[in-house]
Amino acid sequence: MALRPTYTPQTWVEGSAPALSPANLQVIDDEIDASSKLAGSIPQRFAGLLMRTHPDADKAADQILIESLDYAVMDDGEIIADFSGITIDRTVSGAGGLDTGAIDTVLWYAVHAIYGTSGKSAVITLADRWLTGAEHLVTIGESPTGDVGGSAATTRRAQSFLNESARPIKALSLSMTRVGTLTDGVKITIEADTAGSPSGTALATGYMDPARWPVNSAAQWVLAGSNTQHGATVVFPTAADLAANTTYWIVAERTGAIDAANYVAWNTTAGYADGESKRFDGSSWIATSSDHGFTEWLDMAPELGVTLPTGYTRSCKLGYVRTDGSANLMPFVAADRMQWHMDTTLNIDNYSGRTTGMESQSVNADVFLPPPPLRAFVFSADADASRTHFRIGAGKDGYGALREANEADSAVNMITQRIASTTGASVAQQTGGWMYFAEPVAHVWTNALGAGGTATLQIKAKRWEWFL
Amino acid sequence: MSLVSYTAKTWVEGTDPELTAANVQTIDDQMATNARLAGSIPETFAGLVLRTHPDASDADDKLILEYTGYLAMSDGELLNGWDQMTADLSVSGVGGLDSGSSRQASTWYEMHAIYDAAGPTQNLILTEADEWTQDQAFATNDGSLGVGDNAARQRLAQSFQTTNTGPASFVDLYLVTTGTPTDYLTVTIEADTAGDPSGTPLATGHVLDQAKIGTSIYWLRIVFRTPATLTATTTYWIVLDRSGVVDAANYVAWGTDSAQGYATGSMKSYDGAAWNAETRDANFRVYIETTSAALTLPAGYDASCKIGYARTDASQNWQRFIQMDRRLRQMISTAGTSTNTSVRTLVTDAVAIPPTPCIVSYRAAGDGAVTVELPAVWPVPDGYDGIAAVAEVAGGVQKRITAVADTEPAWYVGDVLTRTQGYYVSNQSGGDGTTIWAVEAQWLR
């Protein structure tokens, strides 16, 4: 959608004849139609928004109140003024409620102002979200296995998996670390299965930057134990539509030359029942004896989008609200695109860390943040008063947060927090920071030092600013 | 102003236009309006730096708009070219105070950019902002009285008279919870009928969840989304009513004074049939909005854009500040609010926070003693939740201060979205002292 050219009408002289030809009138007709829609020009902007779960305690679980909204530029570019005072009730269907379907638990909904011949109103609609699909969670051990590009016999490695849902695959988290110093990248493709091996045709392609990953060594990556990890995340710029109950392959290949000292290790741990692993020696795929760790990230969004009730033809997204386990609205306030959680329960809760050493996980940030892209003020609380280092990395870049402890915070999209006394118990210390979530993936790293029991941490987002 | 969607006459090829002069003029007007609004959301701006004048000799009187990317005027037209314009408190009219305003002490002003399309001429003007005055306050306390804890007290009410006429935007009440009530508390303002509340709310405050009201008595702010306009020296009632049944073990009580020290009102309770006098007065504060005249555009000017807030000090001079876009940073020294208790303290900060909804940033300091301090801040109206120990409940923020020498206000506590220039503070650790400052306010409207 683009701005139409500004039309300068003929100067009208009172009392004179119109002197307009039919052609000219048609130009005016067309131009007025275009300018009345696209004036305002950058769709889905707004100004003067104060919105919140209803301030009356007896309505807060059901209703959102748009306290003020000076202007909304609808999706066709038209500016509509003053949506102030409009309420949205989750128990209502259509205008002033949920656009379609039934309200569900623990999901994000987008709030939209809507407009049409029926006037002004607002609705909530199920928001985009990513879900984890097939996965094989493994431990990235101290001794790397499953080299990719460490020898001619392992030019590529692949893992097949059974995709269960007919949805686009947006990303993969892979249990990988680096060995040595890499300067090249890792290419990850999704391929169909042909006679029990990868087809050789990429359905989706993404690249990872292992130079930013943690090194698999005792000094920096002590992981003796049964902890599980998802590992590094690769995002596919163009998602592949995968068929349900169909086998596909994840194929990993370094972009540089074979290097026996510097390569990527994709952990191999047996136990995935619905697939197998193989290596490529330059001419053929050869079965290997174990399985590689991975997690699918599926996009639930393509079918979503506001369903406009009868009498409404335009919309403008205003923000997000989440439902709790009872499908009640979780309390929030919003000022333009900045939103605050007003509750403690939106967090990655009771993350169980280790009593000693370090460990990491990647988790779905959808638990405490609406669909990205957004920036969020993230912090942590120590629910059981242990003594703990704590790091969080955001999005696909966040895996870099798992590097050595002295890595400068600014090097990656992360925050570091140290909870250094027992008074941290259940009290948020607020020493977090802003993180940028381009994907709804958070990488969590803990280092339980000194005294204390098993670290039981909570990751919370106090507020966020959404961009899209 | 908003765009009007214009449906043009359907043109049938080969027929006459059938346009009258008036119709063509309508088309012409509509297109001119649309052309102005293209590209803009009225009364927005970007790249703005506004401040008290950097020259010390001018700072008492003048504000300067140092930079602007663009302003979208009230008619939607985008304009730049405002850099280095000034507004002077000592001037009346263009470049100074509008005709409805005067130079006063401790007063908030709005700054507006104004435009005369015919000139064309651009300039600045100041107008007094709407503010709230604490019109009535009665805080003498030696006890409390339950709301709905007894069949004889199903409702409580306190009458009052204001000295100013205007909208009663919010009230503060001194409340405490006994037990664990699970129902709601409604606060209304009612007229007086024969010495009793009329029974018809003139305004209803946001409904309170009694389960969230603290067990140590404290002030709570109740905001009226649609305020009632009260007439000076006229009796009104604040009425408290619980939504549930009478419960002698679980209820909210209203702080009272047995000496009945409030001179222009009295307290009553409702037994289900009649209002009965209580031999005490309730603790309350009533705030009246001093609604200033709307911006008066000087002759010839036809569009405006609000670009900032500024406040005068006790000497009617500008309080020093710098504002970037809507973020307003005061450059003054204030005492802050000290607290050594986890019981929430309701603060009204009319010095640092403009009289409009704001995102306010807070900093805090310790007191130099070897004590953990946990300064915390909550917004109005949600921050009345005095039960939860966790700061983020109700949108609060909190900072841990441990070092002995942490006496400087250097610790960032966080940002909250608050209204009425108010907020709640506490020291959640119950330490021996922390001081909290509001240091920056992003005004929203």
Side-chain angles (χ1 to χ4, degrees), chain B residues 303-331:
Chain B
S304 66
C305 175
K306 184 164 77 175
I307 57 172
Y309 282 89
R311 185 177 185 270
T312 53
D313 60 18
S315 302
Q316 301 184 355
N317 296 321
W318 287 126
Q319 191 170 281
R320 305 298 191 264
F321 75 94
I322 185 166
Q323 178 189 310
M324 294 188 180
D325 282 347
R326 291 170 183 250
R327 298 193 74 89
L328 174 61
R329 175 68 183 236
Q330 302 291 346
M331 297 191 289

Coordinates of all heavy atoms in Angstrom, one line a residue, chain B residues 303-331:
Chain B
A303 N -4.6 26.9 14.2 CA -4.2 25.5 14.5 C -3.2 25.5 15.6 O -2.4 26.5 15.7 CB -3.7 24.8 13.2
S304 N -3.2 24.4 16.3 CA -2.2 24.3 17.5 C -1.8 22.9 17.6 O -2.4 22.0 17.1 CB -2.9 24.8 18.8 OG -3.9 24.0 19.1
C305 N -0.7 22.7 18.4 CA -0.2 21.4 18.8 C 0.4 21.5 20.2 O 1.4 22.3 20.4 CB 0.8 20.9 17.7 SG 1.6 19.3 18.2
K306 N -0.1 20.7 21.1 CA 0.5 20.7 22.4 C 1.8 20.1 22.4 O 1.9 18.9 22.0 CB -0.5 20.0 23.5 CG 0.1 20.1 24.9 CD -1.0 19.8 25.9 CE -1.2 18.3 26.0 NZ -2.2 18.0 27.1
I307 N 2.8 20.7 22.9 CA 4.2 20.2 22.8 C 4.9 20.0 24.2 O 6.0 19.5 24.2 CB 5.1 21.0 21.9 CG1 5.1 22.5 22.4 CG2 4.6 21.0 20.5 CD1 6.2 23.3 21.6
G308 N 4.2 20.4 25.3 CA 4.9 20.2 26.5 C 4.3 20.8 27.7 O 3.2 21.5 27.6
Y309 N 4.9 20.5 28.9 CA 4.4 21.0 30.2 C 5.6 21.6 30.9 O 6.7 21.2 30.8 CB 3.9 19.8 31.0 CG 2.5 19.3 30.7 CD1 2.3 18.3 29.7 CD2 1.4 19.9 31.3 CE1 1.1 17.9 29.4 CE2 0.1 19.4 31.0 CZ 0.0 18.4 30.1 OH -1.3 18.0 29.7
A310 N 5.3 22.7 31.6 CA 6.3 23.4 32.4 C 5.6 24.0 33.6 O 4.4 24.3 33.6 CB 6.9 24.5 31.6
R311 N 6.4 24.1 34.7 CA 5.8 24.5 36.0 C 6.6 25.7 36.5 O 7.8 25.8 36.4 CB 5.9 23.3 37.0 CG 5.2 23.6 38.3 CD 5.2 22.4 39.2 NE 4.4 22.6 40.4 CZ 4.9 23.1 41.5 NH1 6.2 23.4 41.6 NH2 4.2 23.2 42.6
T312 N 5.9 26.5 37.2 CA 6.5 27.7 37.9 C 6.8 27.3 39.3 O 6.1 26.4 39.9 CB 5.7 28.9 37.9 OG1 4.4 28.6 38.4 CG2 5.5 29.5 36.5
D313 N 7.8 27.9 39.9 CA 8.1 27.7 41.3 C 7.4 28.7 42.2 O 6.5 29.4 41.7 CB 9.7 27.7 41.5 CG 10.2 29.1 41.2 OD1 9.4 30.1 41.1 OD2 11.4 29.2 40.9
A314 N 7.7 28.7 43.4 CA 7.0 29.6 44.4 C 7.2 31.0 44.1 O 6.4 31.9 44.5 CB 7.5 29.3 45.8
S315 N 8.2 31.4 43.3 CA 8.5 32.8 42.9 C 8.0 33.1 41.5 O 8.3 34.1 41.0 CB 10.0 33.0 43.0 OG 10.5 32.7 44.2
Q316 N 7.1 32.3 41.0 CA 6.5 32.5 39.7 C 7.5 32.5 38.6 O 7.3 33.0 37.5 CB 5.7 33.8 39.6 CG 4.6 33.9 40.7 CD 3.8 35.2 40.5 OE1 4.1 36.1 39.7 NE2 2.8 35.3 41.3
N317 N 8.6 31.8 38.8 CA 9.6 31.6 37.8 C 9.6 30.2 37.3 O 9.1 29.3 38.0 CB 11.0 31.9 38.3 CG 11.2 33.4 38.7 OD1 10.6 34.3 38.0 ND2 11.9 33.7 39.8
W318 N 10.1 30.0 36.1 CA 10.1 28.6 35.6 C 11.0 27.7 36.5 O 12.1 28.0 36.8 CB 10.7 28.5 34.1 CG 9.7 29.1 33.1 CD1 10.0 30.0 32.2 CD2 8.4 28.6 32.9 NE1 8.9 30.2 31.4 CE2 7.9 29.4 31.8 CE3 7.5 27.7 33.5 CZ2 6.6 29.3 31.3 CZ3 6.2 27.6 33.0 CH2 5.8 28.4 31.9
Q319 N 10.4 26.5 36.7 CA 11.1 25.4 37.4 C 12.0 24.8 36.2 O 11.5 24.5 35.2 CB 10.1 24.4 37.9 CG 10.5 23.3 38.7 CD 9.3 22.6 39.3 OE1 8.7 23.1 40.2 NE2 9.0 21.5 38.7
R320 N 13.3 24.7 36.5 CA 14.2 24.3 35.4 C 13.9 22.8 34.9 O 13.7 21.9 35.8 CB 15.7 24.4 35.8 CG 16.0 25.8 36.4 CD 15.9 26.8 35.3 NE 16.5 28.1 35.7 CZ 15.9 29.1 36.3 NH1 14.6 29.0 36.5 NH2 16.6 30.2 36.6
F321 N 13.9 22.7 33.6 CA 13.6 21.3 33.1 C 14.2 21.2 31.7 O 14.5 22.2 31.1 CB 12.1 21.0 33.1 CG 11.4 21.8 31.9 CD1 11.2 21.1 30.7 CD2 11.0 23.1 32.1 CE1 10.6 21.8 29.7 CE2 10.3 23.7 31.1 CZ 10.1 23.1 29.9
I322 N 14.3 20.0 31.2 CA 14.5 19.8 29.8 C 13.6 18.6 29.3 O 13.4 17.7 30.1 CB 16.0 19.4 29.5 CG1 16.2 19.3 28.0 CG2 16.4 18.2 30.2 CD1 17.7 19.3 27.6
Q323 N 13.0 18.8 28.2 CA 12.0 17.8 27.7 C 12.5 17.4 26.3 O 12.7 18.2 25.4 CB 10.6 18.4 27.6 CG 9.6 17.4 27.1 CD 8.2 18.1 26.9 OE1 7.7 18.8 27.7 NE2 7.7 17.9 25.7
M324 N 12.5 16.1 26.1 CA 12.8 15.5 24.8 C 11.6 14.7 24.3 O 11.3 13.7 25.0 CB 14.1 14.7 24.8 CG 15.3 15.5 25.1 SD 16.8 14.6 24.9 CE 18.0 15.9 25.3
D325 N 11.0 15.1 23.2 CA 9.7 14.5 22.8 C 8.8 14.7 24.1 O 8.6 15.8 24.5 CB 9.8 13.1 22.3 CG 10.3 13.1 20.8 OD1 10.3 14.2 20.2 OD2 10.7 12.1 20.3
R326 N 8.3 13.6 24.6 CA 7.4 13.8 25.7 C 8.0 13.5 27.1 O 7.3 13.4 28.1 CB 6.2 12.9 25.5 CG 5.3 13.4 24.4 CD 4.2 12.3 24.0 NE 3.5 12.8 22.9 CZ 2.2 13.1 22.9 NH1 1.5 13.1 24.1 NH2 1.5 13.5 21.9
R327 N 9.3 13.2 27.1 CA 10.0 12.9 28.3 C 10.5 14.1 29.0 O 11.4 14.8 28.5 CB 11.1 11.9 28.1 CG 10.6 10.5 27.5 CD 11.7 9.5 27.6 NE 11.9 9.0 28.9 CZ 11.2 8.0 29.5 NH1 10.3 7.4 28.8 NH2 11.5 7.6 30.7
L328 N 10.0 14.4 30.2 CA 10.2 15.6 30.9 C 11.1 15.3 32.1 O 10.8 14.6 33.0 CB 8.9 16.2 31.3 CG 8.9 17.4 32.2 CD1 9.5 18.6 31.5 CD2 7.5 17.8 32.6
R329 N 12.3 15.9 32.1 CA 13.3 15.7 33.2 C 13.4 17.1 33.9 O 13.9 18.1 33.4 CB 14.6 15.3 32.6 CG 15.7 15.2 33.7 CD 15.5 14.1 34.6 NE 16.5 14.0 35.6 CZ 17.2 12.9 35.9 NH1 17.0 11.8 35.1 NH2 18.1 12.8 36.9
Q330 N 13.0 17.0 35.2 CA 13.1 18.2 36.0 C 14.6 18.4 36.5 O 15.3 17.4 36.7 CB 12.2 18.1 37.3 CG 10.8 17.9 37.0 CD 10.1 19.2 36.4 OE1 10.7 20.3 36.4 NE2 9.0 19.0 35.8
M331 N 15.1 19.6 36.5 CA 16.4 19.8 36.9 C 16.4 20.7 38.2 O 16.9 21.8 38.3 CB 17.2 20.5 35.8 CG 17.3 19.7 34.6 SD 18.4 20.3 33.3 CE 17.6 21.7 32.7

